[in-house]
Amino acid sequence: MARATPPGTEQEEILWRLGCQSVAGVDEAGRGPLAGPVVAAAVILSPGTELPGVRDSKTLSPAARERLFDKIRGSARGVGIGIVDAPTIDRINILEAARLAMASAVRNLPVQPEHILIDAVRLPDVPIPQTPFIRGDALILSIAAASVIAKVTRDRLMSGYHRLYPEYAFDRHKGYGTPGHLAALRRFGPSPIHRRTFRGVLSPAADNTADGRRGPR
């Protein structure tokens, strides 16, 4: 089987040639879990930046993500993070929470972007020109870099929550609906960081998938 082509900077280069000096790639992590926040990142790369090994965070090992996290942080012109907690997810739904986290990540950039490249969705409340791409994290380097930053940030948060709620083993599954997580929900009930509108939290005995949420992706 042929290896997938790594994400490139073709889309960024088009915008750079058009005069956009600050192009941000935006992605999120944590739409599927039953617990914890959704986390988004925005990353601005400078022309000529090379990030070998950076790709969609879901295709990387935890060790590779941690190594690339530091590399991206050291190479990027700007990095912004946005975090939306579980109660807000329950109140506004996961899709709107992901958008809110992405908008916060853009606002938290140290440099105002002139154009945004986003994985799959649009941000209607962000008054900046933007282009969504299906599977953008697999195609566009700045989006792939944002996916790594978002994923590592969220995993670190979930490891911190493990110290508060060790009975759920958040350090192992990061809030996804694994059999062990669902067994802990049946035994202990939901913690303060569980998403109580998600199907796997409402009915842990009936849902043994890693995607037990209710509502849109």
Side-chain angles (χ1 to χ4, degrees):
M1 181 181 295
R3 299 182 70 180
T5 303
T9 57
E10 290 84 358
Q11 295 299 325
E12 292 96 334
E13 288 167 4
I14 291 170
L15 291 162
W16 290 330
R17 288 196 297 269
L18 291 173
C20 292
Q21 299 302 307
S22 302
V23 179
V26 182
D27 201 6
E28 51 75 25
R31 285 177 67 174
L34 306 182
V38 60
V39 176
V43 174
I44 298 176
L45 301 178
S46 297
T49 301
E50 295 184 2
L51 292 169
V54 171
R55 59 189 67 237
D56 173 9
S57 63
K58 294 185 291 297
T59 69
L60 298 167
S61 69
R65 289 195 295 262
E66 287 284 346
R67 174 177 55 83
L68 291 168
F69 178 93
D70 293 333
K71 189 173 183 179
I72 294 164
R73 278 283 194 181
S75 301
R77 185 179 171 201
V79 174
I81 302 293
I83 300 172
V84 174
D85 62 16
T88 304
I89 292 169
D90 286 337
R91 180 169 56 83
I92 66 175
N93 80 49
I94 185 59
L95 177 57
E96 293 307 314
R99 285 194 172 116
L100 181 59
M102 290 180 178
S104 296
V106 172
R107 285 195 299 271
N108 289 332
L109 282 164
V111 179
Q112 175 79 1
E114 298 168 87
H115 199 101
I116 305 170
L117 305 174
I118 316 175
D119 188 39
V121 303
R122 286 188 177 274
L123 305 179
D125 295 329
V126 176
I128 297 172
Q130 51 193 270
T131 308
F133 290 88
I134 301 299
R135 293 301 319 280
D137 50 8
L139 301 172
I140 298 169
L141 185 60
S142 60
I143 298 179
S147 79
V148 172
I149 295 293
K151 175 63 174 168
V152 172
T153 300
R154 187 181 187 280
D155 284 356
R156 290 176 178 179
L157 288 171
M158 295 308 295
S159 293
Y161 282 127
H162 169 69
R163 293 190 285 273
L164 292 174
Y165 311 109
E167 62 271 26
Y168 298 98
F170 289 133
D171 60 328
R172 292 205 295 267
H173 53 69
K174 305 301 188 287
Y176 283 89
T178 63
H181 186 186
L182 294 170
L185 274 168
R186 289 193 294 271
R187 181 177 180 185
F188 302 108
S191 74
I193 68 161
H194 275 93
R195 302 173 182 179
R196 293 167 186 263
T197 56
F198 279 41
R199 186 173 61 248
V201 177
L202 292 169
S203 305
D207 193 330
N208 62 359
T209 70
D211 185 8
R213 64 185 180 276
R214 183 180 67 188
R217 290 185 66 84

